[in-house]
Amino acid sequence: TVAKGRNKDAAKRKKSKQRKKCDPGFLAKANGKTLRSYEVGALPIINHILRRMRLPEILREFLPASDARTELPAYRTLLVLLRNILVAREPIYGLGQWASRFAPDLLDLYPDEVELLNDDRAGRALEQMFDALVTELTVTVVRQVMDEFRINMDELHNDSTSVSFYGAYDQAEEEHQVRGQPTLAITYGHSKDHRPDLKQLLFILTVSEDGGVPIYFTSASGNTSDDTTHRATWDLLCQLAGRSDFLYVADCKLASSENMNYIARKGRFITVLPRSHKEDKQFRKQLWEKPDSVRWDDVYTVTKKMRTRGIEHEVEVDRLTVVADEMVSSDGYRLLWYHSTKKAEHDARYRARSLQRASRELTDLRERLSGPRTRFKSRKKVDEAVQEILKTLKDETLLVVKVEEREEKTFRQANKGRPGKNTKYVKELKKRFEISWSIEQIRMAEAEASDGMFPLISNVNEMTAEEILRAYKRQPIIEKRFSQLKTDFAVAPIYLKSVTRIQGLLAIYFLALIVQTLLERELRQAMKRSKIKSLPLYPEERACRCPTARKVIDLFDGIQRHVLKQPGRETEVMVTALSPLQNQILELLGIPEKSYGL
């Protein structure tokens, strides 16, 4: 046993020496000269944000202690994975190949550590990230972000999205316990991506109104209902903010009596009243039967500058009004009914398209019913097919579909063989179905009367109707974060089969969202302080008023560091010359231009 241990140690030392000989980057040799080139890109910018977040120190503190034999600490592996998600979105199995192109010091690695990066080591690091989620890791990161970047916590927006999975994931169909921590169930649920055929997990996010910075995330099983997550989320937000008087804005899943009463005890909320509530039906009925009984007040008008024949003028894009007489919900909270002219146009177009689509599908169904080899041989199957088509309508009562049944006589030979004078035939009766449909005109008129309407419910009495509406109109900032999660980062934990590693990876995506958002916020605030209206980030140097992190990262793509070694001379280090626009962005972000990439 001792001999085996010595041989293993000797092999390890030999392997370590071999690694030290290798150096990543792109190598060129000529006449005794050696030129090694490394990618730099936007890594110095990302590292600048990471240092201000103190993310390396926090990860090292909260991740479980690594084994003494570990050649590459887990926190450094996770930081490389985080940078990869921000810059390149390469799959986990390509992490080492991607890292080999960059200067190792920009990844907080030594040259001999780059080749240690592989999918197995990344997977084990994600296991440690999963173990750390039960600690104060994310809370500590967010508090550091709040203090360092001075994030305003007066208004917070919450929503959720689904992360779809391709594959069976049989071992993760139910929730379990792993190392004392619950794991999630990858299973079917209400898909936000409109993919009911795929299993999923729920990704729940809360962002600040100040820059849309993500400040809290959690994940839940794929079949979890959103309305069960708000109370636990609100409690943790109170812990983060150190107070409970912030404004909590969420979608209609918040509008249950249990959720609203729970938050109203100490906090403030704004949400949408669901269509299923009786107050909604009562008001829409009143609007249809007695429209003159409803008085409206103007809230504000949205205009857009247009240029016609060289003359600039403003065009009204949307006009928002509110019911003058405020109402009270059955739970005792303020109920405000708003009307938007833009939403009214959208509702009318959506209804028209839905009716056209339903009509086409019903026409196709009718042709299938009349075919000689139709498979619809029972009334039940026809009714099910009709209901499936009507489900595509926002209101199924807009179309009235009639199914008529009739019997069709057919004759066939009683016996096999060529037919003749004495051939006997047997009469058979087959059921055939025909459908017809028409638009329910009264229901159509009721729907048109409430086009553009939406009700908001809140327990905040000191805010005006306009302030409540504007606060709710800021809810789409969280949709931007979900869009970045699924487009910029191309979230795809499908490469991992372990649910614990998937949960760890979702936490890394949350950190990536924070870094990207802070980069955008810092740049935009610096532009505002410097009175710079736009930067020429778009193709053909077109103006960009709200620079995104993706545009900034892409702008620095191609920046390289070159290390030239010549016999008898000192080593020269050169970095690709920066453009005036790149220098301007670095100046706005407070990053020294002279040392960039060195």
Side-chain angles (χ1 to χ4, degrees), residues 72-218:
L72 185 61
Y75 81 93
R76 284 159 63 188
T77 304
L78 293 176
L79 287 171
V80 174
L81 178 58
L82 173 62
R83 295 181 180 100
N84 171 55
I85 290 172
L86 288 163
V87 174
R89 303 158 304 209
E90 292 288 339
I92 292 178
Y93 59 78
L95 187 63
Q97 185 177 358
W98 171 81
S100 66
R101 306 199 311 263
F102 287 84
D105 58 290
L106 295 178
L107 298 172
D108 290 332
L109 299 174
Y110 293 105
D112 62 305
E113 291 178 329
V114 174
E115 69 170 15
L116 295 175
L117 292 168
N118 53 47
D119 55 348
D120 179 63
R121 182 166 273 108
R124 284 186 274 116
L126 290 173
E127 289 279 0
Q128 294 193 39
M129 188 67 181
F130 166 78
D131 293 336
L133 291 179
V134 295
T135 67
E136 295 285 316
L137 187 148
T138 53
V139 173
T140 305
V141 171
V142 171
R143 282 177 175 163
Q144 170 63 22
V145 169
M146 289 166 51
D147 295 339
E148 175 67 22
F149 295 88
R150 299 181 181 180
I151 307 297
N152 189 323
M153 298 283 284
D154 290 341
E155 183 178 316
L156 306 178
H157 294 257
N158 175 271
D159 203 354
S160 64
T161 189
S162 54
V163 179
S164 300
F165 292 81
Y166 296 84
Y169 290 90
D170 295 331
Q171 296 180 351
E173 286 185 340
E174 297 180 356
E175 297 178 354
H176 296 287
Q177 289 278 335
V178 175
R179 295 186 291 277
Q181 184 177 345
T183 63
L184 306 179
I186 301 176
T187 185
Y188 298 104
H190 177 70
S191 174
K192 310 293 180 69
D193 296 331
H194 307 289
R195 291 300 305 268
D197 57 316
L198 298 179
K199 294 182 178 182
Q200 64 180 29
L201 284 179
L202 208 61
F203 187 90
I204 305 166
L205 187 67
T206 303
V207 303
S208 67
E209 181 273 330
D210 179 12
V213 179
I215 59 167
Y216 173 68
F217 118 95
T218 188

Side-chain angles (χ1 to χ4, degrees), residues 237-375:
L237 293 176
C238 291
Q239 181 184 346
L240 277 172
R243 55 194 178 94
S244 61
D245 60 343
F246 54 83
L247 185 62
Y248 184 71
V249 185
D251 62 8
C252 62
K253 297 296 183 180
L254 173 63
S256 69
S257 298
E258 295 80 4
N259 288 336
M260 292 188 295
N261 293 338
Y262 186 85
I263 295 176
R265 293 189 189 105
K266 294 182 180 179
R268 306 184 302 158
F269 67 85
I270 296 175
T271 185
V272 184
L273 185 75
R275 289 291 296 265
S276 57
H277 283 220
K278 64 179 181 180
E279 297 97 320
D280 184 280
K281 297 176 182 177
Q282 289 172 352
F283 180 76
R284 293 181 191 274
K285 184 178 181 181
Q286 177 187 353
L287 199 64
W288 157 244
E289 295 177 347
K290 301 177 182 179
D292 295 336
S293 65
V294 181
R295 297 187 304 111
W296 297 90
D297 287 341
D298 289 335
V299 181
Y300 63 86
T301 302
V302 180
T303 60
K304 182 180 179 181
K305 289 185 178 181
M306 301 285 289
R307 185 176 292 274
T308 307
R309 296 178 182 178
I311 301 174
E312 191 175 85
H313 58 95
E314 288 191 348
V315 177
E316 183 178 298
V317 176
D318 193 9
R319 185 185 177 198
L320 293 123
T321 52
V322 64
V323 174
D325 303 315
E326 282 195 13
M327 304 177 187
V328 179
S329 71
S330 58
D331 294 302
Y333 302 117
R334 290 177 72 185
L335 181 58
L336 302 165
W337 278 93
Y338 296 92
H339 180 269
S340 163
T341 55
K342 186 176 181 180
K343 186 178 184 300
E345 295 172 1
H346 174 271
D347 290 345
R349 286 196 303 268
Y350 179 82
R351 184 171 52 252
R353 288 196 300 267
S354 299
L355 287 170
Q356 290 171 1
R357 183 174 62 251
S359 181
R360 287 195 302 268
E361 292 177 358
L362 288 171
T363 301
D364 179 63
L365 176 61
R366 182 161 59 188
E367 292 177 357
R368 291 163 61 196
L369 290 172
S370 62
R373 296 185 178 181
T374 180
R375 295 184 178 181

